[in-house]
């Protein structure tokens, strides 16, 4: 039995915790025993982990890298669980995994860069580089993350490994369910629906404001389009106000948080994500698995997910006119939407599924366990 201790920041509804849930769901419980440490746990995810026999332990916020009280909590859990592998993700999780894993001599330490840290300070870079000294392997969740690790941080390519994020194959809503949802949201059958999904935490990152402004240009031109934004967060009131300011409030639907987004993808005709930076962009893979053409910004991991002109279109970040141009093209050409959507499904099914992700993580766990635990016990 290989015991794996995952350490992350807050467990809520983001991509990092979804990937840990993939591991809990898909790794063989007869071969792997998992436990998760997080700073905080909110929402339905702790109960989801419990379904698969994975304990989630929330220890509270890490006040600094040198928060000895929190490190002692982690070390006490290590003493009780005796993990063979400690796997830290997100800066707080990486910090606790590196420090406590090193101090407690956990055989295998894996750290994971889950962001596209364009604005990380040189001090942050230096700290992460030092923490990576304790790691046997450092995972990048996209080619952009790997470039950051090997380029900006200067880590050895032998230590860094690319494991693209993956998403679960979706459950597809029925035509009846989609028709009912469109009616409930006030969407006429002939309207072209542009959709996006994401947490509205910071417009500096997700840039839903750019998408709303681009959409307003299409409305001003007389196109029969609607914009559906799925998600919530502190920026939501500002987005509502912007839609009113631009005169498109009656054309924009804000759904709030939705635990099950399958029916929403089912009513979209086009999907768009126009973040200023994004380590991966899981919702793009989800949209492609729903056979949707996508419009995304050429940043971070998204520029590797989307094949420009084949599965969708890539545009410069902050370029509202370019976003509108590509949305216009897709909204007025049903054949193009179908072609790009078909290509996108094939690409996502090959490269970005949950099954492929878990297989690669399993292989990493088993190979490092063999090197650091099994071989050592033979000596």
């Amino acid at each position: 039995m290989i015991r794996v201790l995952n350490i992350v920041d807050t467990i809520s509804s983001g991509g990092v915790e979804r990937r840990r849930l993939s591991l809990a769901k898909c790794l063989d419980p007869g071969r792997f025993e998992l436990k998760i440490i997080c700073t905080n746990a909110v929402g339905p995810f702790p109960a989801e982990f419990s379904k698969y026999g994975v304990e989630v332990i929330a220890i509270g916020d890490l006040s600094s890298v040198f928060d000895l009280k929190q490190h002692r909590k982690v070390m006490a859990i290590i003493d009780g669980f005796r993990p063979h592998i400690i796997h830290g993700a997100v800066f707080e999780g990486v910090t606790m995994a590196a420090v406590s894993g090193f101090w407690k001599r956990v055989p295998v330490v894996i750290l994971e860069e889950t962001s596209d840290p364009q604005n990380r300070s040189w001090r942050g870079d230096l700290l992460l580089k030092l923490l990576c000294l304790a790691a046997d392997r450092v995972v990048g969740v996209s080619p952009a993350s790997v470039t950051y690790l090997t380029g900006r941080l200067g880590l050895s390519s032998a230590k860094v490994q690319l494991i693209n994020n993956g998403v679960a194959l979706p459950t597809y809503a029925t035509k009846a369910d989609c028709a009912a949802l469109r009616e409930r949201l006030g969407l006429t059958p002939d309207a072209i629906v542009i959709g996006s999904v994401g947490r509205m935490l910071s417009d500096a990152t997700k840039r839903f404001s750019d998408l709303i402004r681009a959409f307003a240009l299409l409305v001003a031109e007389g196109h029969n389009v609607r914009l559906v934004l799925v998600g919530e967060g502190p920026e939501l009131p500002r987005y509502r106000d912007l839609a009113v300011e631009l005169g498109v409030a009656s054309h924009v639907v804000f759904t709030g948080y939705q635990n099950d987004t399958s029916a929403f993808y089912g009513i979209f005709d086009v999907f768009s994500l126009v973040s200023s930076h994004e380590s991966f962009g899981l919702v793009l893979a989800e949209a492609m698995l729903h056979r949707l053409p996508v419009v995304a910004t050429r940043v971070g991991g998204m520029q590797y997910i989307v094949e420009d002109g084949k599965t969708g279109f890539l545009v410069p970040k902050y370029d509202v006119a370019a976003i509108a141009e590509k949305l216009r093209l897709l909204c007025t050409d049903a054949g193009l939407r179908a072609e790009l959507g078909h290509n996108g499904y094939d690409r996502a099914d090959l490269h970005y599924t949950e099954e492929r992700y878990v297989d690669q993580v399993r292989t990493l766990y088993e190979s490092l366990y063999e090197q650091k635990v099994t071989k050592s016990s033979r000596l």
Side-chain angles (χ1 to χ4, degrees), residues 96-137:
M96 290 186 281
V99 173
S100 299
F102 174 79
W103 191 260
K104 283 296 181 177
R105 299 182 182 276
V106 176
V108 176
V109 176
I110 300 170
L111 306 182
E112 185 172 319
E113 178 55 73
T114 61
S115 66
D116 180 27
Q118 298 298 311
N119 300 317
R120 186 173 290 166
S121 70
W122 68 267
R123 292 181 180 85
D125 287 343
L126 178 59
L127 175 58
L128 181 57
K129 186 171 183 177
L130 292 174
L131 293 173
C132 287
L133 293 175
D136 296 283
R137 197 65 51 84

Side-chain angles (χ1 to χ4, degrees), residues 2-24:
I2 302 175
R3 294 184 295 276
V4 182
L5 179 63
N6 275 273
I7 308 183
V8 298
D9 190 17
T10 297
I11 286 181
S12 56
S13 61
V16 174
E17 46 268 52
R18 289 181 186 276
R19 300 295 62 75
R20 270 63 200 164
L21 188 59
S22 293
L23 297 176

Side-chain angles (χ1 to χ4, degrees), residues 32 37 39 48 51 58 76 82 96 115 117 147 180 202 220 222 239 247 270 289-290 293 296 306 314 336 340:
F32 293 93
I37 295 174
T39 55
E48 289 293 314
K51 289 180 183 178
R82 296 184 296 112
M96 290 186 281
S115 66
T147 298
S202 169
Y239 295 144
V270 178
L289 286 170
H290 280 86
V306 179
L314 293 169
L336 181 62
L340 300 189

Side-chain angles (χ1 to χ4, degrees), residues 139-169:
V139 171
V141 300
S142 73
S145 298
V146 168
T147 298
Y148 165 76
L149 293 168
T150 58
R152 206 158 112 189
L153 293 195
L155 299 184
S156 164
S157 58
K159 175 173 278 196
V160 175
Q161 180 169 340
L162 170 65
I163 300 182
N164 280 310
N165 276 333
V167 298
L169 291 175

Side-chain angles (χ1 to χ4, degrees), residues 5 53 65 79 95 117-118 143 193 211 242 274 280 347:
L5 179 63
V65 176
D79 286 339
T95 298
Q118 298 298 311
V193 179
L211 181 56
L242 179 60
V274 293
F280 187 79
R347 179 169 175 77

